Amino acid sequence: MGSIDGRVALVTGAGQGIGRAIALKLAAEGARVVVNDIDADAAHDTLETIGKAGASGVAVVGSVTDEEFAPRFVRTAVDRFGALDIIVNNAGYTWDGVIQRMTDEQWEAMLAVHVTAPFRILRAAQPVISGLHRAEREAGVTRTRKVVNISSISGLDGNPGQVNYSSAKAAVVGLTKTLSKEWGRYQVTVNAVAFGFIQTRLTQARSVDDGHITVAGHEVRVGMPDERVSELEAAIPLGRAGTPEEAAGAVYLFCAPESDYISGETVVCGGGYHF
């Protein structure tokens, strides 16, 4: 029996990296997880791992930026499991550039995936959550639900070359604070986790993999120069980058019942590091 046994959780971008670690952590604690990723193979791999661990889940493949995605995502949770308890808005990527070289498309892509997509998912979830809360109140039952939005220390402190990403992640904080005030009446806590330097394909040294990802037909370079990785690790008080599992642990803190009276907060998971 886990601390969130039987809860139904939505996790976007759960095919790999931090999102996968979040989905596996929630499943290990007893949640039934609706796994999303744009990569069908990655989504189903996470789902298979969840199943092998004895937990339940379902995959919803697709881009969170598609207009029809949010209702389909939420509907899958209700149709498959009859409930909705936890929403983790994790999906995202970076598309860097200094402002004078940044295109409108780069700017709008970051807002779309990091701000508009969570907004649409939460908007689609509202009728479900309010309806469940109303039924529980009439039955004399109290149930606290959870929303965890993913921000970044880039959104809190800014980061050169990331005016689009930093702006989007700053907006996530505003979304979080506002929704915590709107949804308190439904017994929903809304918090954010701002990640620092976490080991993922987006942050790995380019000597390891000088790679690219393809998003909406665009090839986006990922990773960082080796010297930048070394500089960041040296600046982190704990002396190293965080793991996806440690990042997932920070998200889980806001999903566990021990955090039922914490809402509207942003916690930094960065080993003590700030820009």
Side-chain angles (χ1 to χ4, degrees), residues 24-248:
L24 296 181
K25 175 62 176 177
L26 297 184
E29 293 295 333
R32 296 169 288 176
V33 185
V34 183
V35 173
N36 156 257
D37 203 88
I38 196 171
D39 183 327
D41 290 340
H44 287 292
D45 183 69
T46 298
L47 185 61
E48 183 179 355
T49 303
I50 287 172
K52 287 180 178 178
S56 299
V58 62
V60 177
V61 177
S63 172
V64 295
T65 62
D66 291 345
E67 290 186 11
E68 53 78 37
F69 174 80
R72 178 166 63 92
F73 194 36
V74 172
R75 187 170 59 248
T76 298
V78 177
D79 291 348
R80 183 65 176 268
F81 300 117
L84 177 56
D85 302 291
I86 297 167
I87 301 173
V88 181
N89 285 305
N90 166 77
Y93 63 103
T94 56
W95 193 357
D96 297 349
V98 290
I99 193 166
Q100 66 269 26
R101 297 178 184 171
M102 185 170 290
T103 65
D104 285 356
E105 190 172 17
Q106 280 177 274
W107 169 263
E108 290 163 2
M110 291 297 94
L111 295 181
V113 70
H114 294 289
V115 186
T116 303
F119 158 73
R120 287 174 173 166
I121 290 168
L122 295 167
R123 181 176 62 183
Q126 190 278 338
V128 174
I129 288 173
S130 63
L132 290 169
H133 173 69
R134 187 182 310 110
E136 289 156 0
R137 186 180 57 195
E138 292 172 354
V141 175
T142 299
R143 189 177 185 90
T144 301
R145 292 180 168 82
K146 311 280 188 161
V147 172
V148 185
N149 297 316
I150 303 305
S151 185
S152 167
I153 59 172
S154 293
L156 302 181
D157 298 326
N159 192 27
Q162 290 190 324
V163 67
N164 53 354
Y165 179 77
S166 297
S167 296
K169 287 304 191 181
V172 168
V173 175
L175 172 68
T176 298
K177 288 182 176 294
T178 299
L179 204 64
S180 71
K181 293 176 169 61
E182 289 190 13
W183 281 15
R185 58 179 175 160
Y186 304 136
Q187 290 300 305
V188 178
T189 68
V190 186
N191 294 289
V193 176
F195 293 136
F197 185 30
I198 307 295
Q199 297 169 349
T200 71
R201 61 180 177 159
L202 300 181
T203 62
Q204 64 190 352
R206 289 187 179 139
S207 62
V208 176
D209 181 9
D210 189 9
H212 296 76
I213 59 173
T214 301
V215 182
H218 295 281
E219 197 171 72
V220 179
R221 192 179 190 190
V222 297
M224 296 189 294
D226 292 35
E227 61 273 16
R228 180 57 177 156
V229 172
S230 298
E231 288 171 2
L232 285 171
E233 289 184 328
I236 296 169
L238 290 184
R240 60 177 177 83
T243 67
E245 290 72 27
E246 289 170 325

